[in-house]
Amino acid sequence: MAEFQALVVNKTETGFTVDIQTMKIDDLPKGDVLIKVAYSSVNYKDGLACTPNGKIVKTYPFIPGIDLAGTVVSSSDSRFKEGDEVIATSYEIGVSHYGGYSEYARVRSDWIVPLPKGLTLKEAMVLGTAGLTAALSVHRLEENGLSPEKGKVLVTGATGGVGSLATAMLAKRNYDVVASTGKQEEHEYLRALGAKEIVSREDVCLEQIRPLDKQYWAAAIDPVGGRTLATILSRIQYGGSVAVSGLAGGTDVPTSVFPFILRGVNLLGIDSVYCPMELRLKVWERMANDLKPHQLLESIAREITLEQLPQALSDILKGKLRGRTIVKLS
Ligand SMILES: NC(=O)c1ccc[n+]([C@@H]2O[C@H](COP(=O)([O-])OP(=O)(O)OC[C@H]3O[C@@H](n4cnc5c(N)ncnc54)[C@H](OP(=O)(O)O)[C@@H]3O)[C@@H](O)[C@H]2O)c1
């Protein structure tokens, strides 16, 4: 344990670097729990963190990785002890506190979720922040009145991390899922996750968006945002909701007040980063049970090594990855 490997990003006057470096435990930031990391994962935000102008990382040099799962090595908080299997995602992890692309991580105990019964550390990272975000989206939609008999539910960016898991979670809960994707070759994958219908990315991202269009879907889970979100809002059924979590398609949303004031459409913001611990624990328990049998998670996952990570981080920003990419660290 004296030395270990980690992916380090650095920005200096001479340029920006992303490489694997040998680190010491003393190099890790303060925290009350030291974890031997088994798996991390690749998220869109991690891709941004590994670009010079991604505006994610606060200070350099830095170890990115917003997700990690592993085994407690030592803890000064009595809630955790050596040998406990744990998950730590979001908060400051991989943003202003060294993250999961490291064989060891030291984090604050308040950021840690005990591994729910029935999940392995690997499965926990197939879910990771993407799973938490998808599950929070389903939770918020149902809190706002969604149930399977209300109608079809659209998932955008459906072959991505959030999209794949949202598709699978909704299908398991007996929803009729309409999956939108830009990947023609992945229709079979989406059907295997439970999508009943597949539409193209362009079908849900119009050049000319009417203030109100035909009412296609009872609800939508949207990690794409931008013009796609504006198109969806004009096509949601009366009283329906859109859970928006992402910006893969852009940040500007050219919409109007009409879906809200004439159709009572709800726009639900989803944030996994500061999601309160009580809800976080509830949602992790729900993910462990809802997606059984977990073979489905295998079909969503691709496992890579630390050496393969820089390429995957570049690919996710180009929308090239399918499902979830997990990084094996030990
Ligand atoms: N709010 C939160 O707490 C939270 C948590 C996690 C993630 N997010 C955000 O959610 C988004 C998705 O994250 P992720 O980890 O699932 O990323 P991802 O795996 O890269 O998935 C994004 C998917 O969006 C689609 N896409 C990519 N570029 C697009 C474009 N220009 N226009 C339309 N669709 C495009 C692609 O799916 P298809 O090819 O199938 O169309 C892509 O696979 C990101 O913006 C991320 O920052 C937010």
Side-chain angles (χ1 to χ4, degrees):
M1 198 225 284
E3 292 189 332
F4 63 89
Q5 303 289 297
L7 187 88
V8 178
V9 292
N10 202 5
K11 196 177 187 178
T12 62
E13 278 163 13
T14 54
F16 186 79
T17 54
V18 181
D19 52 21
I20 296 167
Q21 293 185 14
T22 300
M23 311 281 288
K24 294 193 174 66
I25 294 296
D26 285 348
D27 296 330
L28 293 174
K30 282 191 186 137
D32 33 19
V33 182
L34 179 66
I35 298 167
K36 185 174 200 303
V37 181
Y39 289 94
S40 184
S41 80
V42 179
N43 296 278
Y44 194 87
K45 197 171 177 179
D46 299 318
L48 290 175
C50 294
T51 59
N53 302 311
K55 297 195 174 83
I56 299 291
V57 175
K58 311 285 183 238
T59 52
Y60 297 94
F62 190 74
I63 303 175
I66 63 170
D67 286 347
L68 65 93
T71 308
V72 173
V73 176
S74 61
S75 169
S76 55
D77 182 322
S78 59
R79 289 175 296 173
F80 300 102
K81 59 177 193 319
E82 186 186 342
D84 285 352
E85 292 187 307
V86 293
I87 303 164
T89 69
S90 48
Y91 295 101
E92 290 161 30
I93 300 168
V95 173
S96 55
H97 188 102
Y98 283 6
Y101 297 157
S102 177
E103 289 171 332
Y104 286 87
R106 187 157 45 208
V107 299
R108 282 181 51 187
S109 49
D110 287 344
W111 299 340
I112 295 177
V113 170
L115 185 72
K117 270 203 178 65
L119 272 188
T120 63
L121 291 171
K122 181 176 174 180
E123 288 163 349
M125 282 299 95
V126 178
L127 291 163
T129 290
L132 180 62
T133 306
L136 282 170
S137 303
V138 177
H139 171 78
R140 292 274 279 131
L141 289 175
E142 290 184 344
E143 231 179 22
N144 281 274
L146 183 67
S147 55
E149 62 281 4
K150 293 273 168 71
K152 297 175 181 179
V153 181
L154 175 74
V155 176
T156 64
T159 70
V162 175
S164 293
L165 288 160
T167 300
M169 286 174 193
L170 287 168
K172 278 272 179 191
R173 294 175 82 78
N174 296 318
Y175 286 95
D176 274 3
V177 181
V178 179
S180 102
T181 183
K183 301 187 187 85
Q184 192 75 32
E185 68 285 6
E186 299 295 358
H187 288 198
E188 194 121 325
Y189 164 77
L190 290 170
R191 290 205 190 278
L193 296 186
K196 287 263 168 62
E197 208 179 303
I198 297 169
V199 295
S200 79
R201 232 188 241 180
E202 294 72 33
D203 286 342
V204 296
C205 183
L206 301 179
E207 274 307 312
Q208 295 294 324
I209 301 166
R210 293 189 191 158
L212 293 172
D213 206 331
K214 193 173 164 200
Q215 301 180 44
Y216 288 95
W217 314 291
I221 291 183
D222 180 33
V224 169
R227 184 162 284 279
T228 300
L229 175 56
T231 305
I232 295 169
L233 285 167
S234 72
R235 293 176 162 192
I236 290 289
Q237 286 170 19
Y238 190 94
S241 306
V242 178
V244 59
S245 57
L247 45 71
T251 52
D252 290 342
V253 184
T255 187
S256 72
V257 295
F258 293 113
F260 310 108
I261 66 170
L262 295 181
R263 286 196 183 150
V265 168
N266 305 300
L267 183 56
L268 310 174
I270 305 299
D271 171 51
S272 63
V273 180
Y274 291 106
C275 165
M277 189 47 89
E278 200 186 357
L279 177 58
R280 192 179 288 256
L281 290 170
K282 192 171 146 187
V283 168
W284 270 105
E285 283 300 331
R286 183 171 148 173
M287 284 197 281
N289 293 315
D290 269 17
L291 284 175
K292 276 181 184 154
H294 293 149
Q295 282 89 321
L296 194 66
L297 292 178
E298 283 290 326
S299 71
I300 293 176
R302 177 173 74 108
E303 185 174 312
I304 61 168
T305 61
L306 207 50
E307 287 71 25
Q308 294 168 304
L309 183 53
Q311 183 61 51
L313 288 162
S314 157
D315 287 346
I316 196 164
L317 295 180
K318 297 179 192 131
K320 277 190 183 171
L321 295 187
R322 184 187 90 175
R324 293 276 294 152
T325 302
I326 57 167
V327 191
K328 186 164 170 46
L329 287 140
S330 56

